[in-house]
Amino acid sequence: MGGRLWARRNDTLCPLVVKGGGLSAFRGKPEVASAQVKSSIILAALAAGVEVELEELGYTRDHTENMLRGLGVPIGTDDLKVHLPAGPHRFEGFEFTVPGDPSSAAFFAVAASVVPGSDLVIENVGLNPTRSGIFTVLEQMGATIEKLDERDVGGEPVADLRVRHAALKGIDVDPAIAPSMIDEFPILFVAAAMASGTTVTSGLDELRVKESDRLSAMAAALSASGVNVEERDDGLVIEGSGGLPLRGTANAKVETHLDHRIAMSMAVAGLASRDGVEIDDIEPIATSFPNFTALLDEASA
């Protein structure tokens, strides 16, 4: 697109220098299937008033396209293709309530599903189909999730979720749903640990290269809590407790590897355990959910 940027050191992007100037149209395929890369190209082109004809390598989250379409920008999508005509595109100022993150809501949905007596309403949850796979899988496992006040906000489907305790059952999770819930598998593993029967997951190679190796980290954490877990190259096989409390970690600490999702997932596991779960470090939780522990205390009071 003609952008000028460079690293001041040959081996690192810190610091990265970006110099302003005109951009040209983008036509082609980004080298990775990434919503962040796609959105960056679209927003840069929107600012520059140039055209985008982009084809993705695979399906990614489409929040940016939905928002722009909701603002009246004539952005078109057709399967894996995105088209933004040359601008300028102008829209009026607006008021907008950002929907709640489904990744964050998932921790509370699982907590309410596995803790007996729970009846919890999680408000303003974004249910974009590219992000809401966790709720689909939980329902397949027998979770009781009711959508209240379904509505459209800025082109995004939104609802309040009422989640009640339910007897979960183990399932074989379809790997095709993984892209819509890839960040939620750690907390799904906790739900599987509390289910009746065996849950099998596969096609999760990407979890090896997140903030930590989430397959290895969750296998170790759940095993330390008394769960029977088999770690495979691309997933976990988890034998559930049948709804009985997990043993907990007793005198051992769960190693989070500074991964916020491991810490939050095992905090939820602690609610469903006999002896509690001790976590080595909860500071990384602030990466994505600074008030998580306060809300969890409030919900479990």
Side-chain angles (χ1 to χ4, degrees):
M1 297 178 74
R4 292 174 289 171
L5 59 160
W6 62 92
R8 286 182 174 166
R9 302 172 188 161
N10 293 330
D11 59 348
T12 177
L13 289 180
C14 183
L16 177 69
V17 180
V18 181
K19 189 169 184 178
L23 296 178
S24 58
F26 178 88
R27 299 179 179 87
K29 291 184 179 182
E31 295 181 2
V32 294
S34 165
Q36 288 90 340
V37 171
K38 173 181 65 174
S39 295
S40 297
I41 293 170
I42 292 170
L43 294 176
L46 184 69
V50 298
E51 184 180 20
V52 167
E53 290 183 352
L54 180 150
E55 184 173 356
E56 297 188 85
L57 296 178
Y59 291 104
T60 64
R61 300 168 181 180
D62 59 358
H63 301 299
T64 301
E65 298 95 303
N66 289 343
M67 171 63 83
L68 292 178
R69 195 176 293 114
L71 292 172
V73 175
I75 187 167
T77 54
D78 180 13
D79 197 28
L80 294 175
K81 297 179 180 179
V82 179
H83 179 249
L84 174 71
H89 302 292
R90 301 190 183 280
F91 40 84
E92 299 297 323
F94 61 99
E95 292 185 7
F96 178 72
T97 299
V98 178
D101 178 24
S103 295
S104 298
F107 296 102
F108 289 89
V110 170
S113 295
V114 302
V115 175
S118 296
D119 188 344
L120 185 68
V121 175
I122 311 168
E123 297 179 339
N124 192 44
V125 180
L127 296 176
N128 183 302
T130 67
R131 300 288 310 283
S132 60
I134 179 64
F135 306 116
T136 299
V137 172
L138 286 174
E139 288 178 323
Q140 291 170 352
M141 296 175 72
T144 302
I145 303 175
E146 182 182 0
K147 296 177 184 176
L148 307 175
D149 189 21
E150 294 186 66
R151 53 204 185 270
D152 183 276
V153 179
E156 297 278 345
V158 177
D160 302 333
L161 300 182
R162 182 184 182 188
V163 187
R164 287 169 282 178
H165 174 252
L168 303 182
K169 63 180 185 298
I171 63 171
D172 287 359
V173 180
D174 184 353
I177 205 169
S180 68
M181 58 173 292
I182 196 66
D183 288 329
E184 289 73 72
F185 273 97
I187 190 59
L188 179 71
F189 296 150
V190 174
M194 290 295 295
S196 297
T198 302
T199 297
V200 180
T201 61
S202 59
L204 305 180
D205 312 70
E206 185 180 342
L207 292 187
R208 298 283 187 193
V209 290
K210 288 289 189 175
E211 285 86 333
S212 68
D213 179 341
R214 288 179 174 166
L215 290 179
S216 178
M218 284 302 298
L222 290 173
S223 294
S225 303
V227 181
N228 186 4
V229 182
E230 177 190 347
E231 181 180 348
R232 297 179 176 176
D233 289 343
D234 66 342
L236 300 183
V237 178
I238 298 174
E239 186 67 36
S241 71
L244 298 175
L246 306 181
R247 184 194 68 211
T249 57
N251 296 321
K253 285 186 179 181
V254 167
E255 293 187 32
T256 62
H257 304 277
L258 301 179
D259 189 327
H260 55 134
R261 298 198 190 278
I262 304 300
M264 289 187 283
S265 297
M266 293 311 298
V268 172
L271 295 180
S273 69
R274 186 187 69 225
D275 298 330
V277 169
E278 188 173 359
I279 298 167
D280 65 351
D281 191 351
I282 65 169
E283 287 189 10
I285 290 174
T287 299
S288 63
F289 204 156
N291 61 336
F292 170 78
T293 54
L295 286 175
L296 195 64
D297 285 343
E298 180 182 338
S300 57

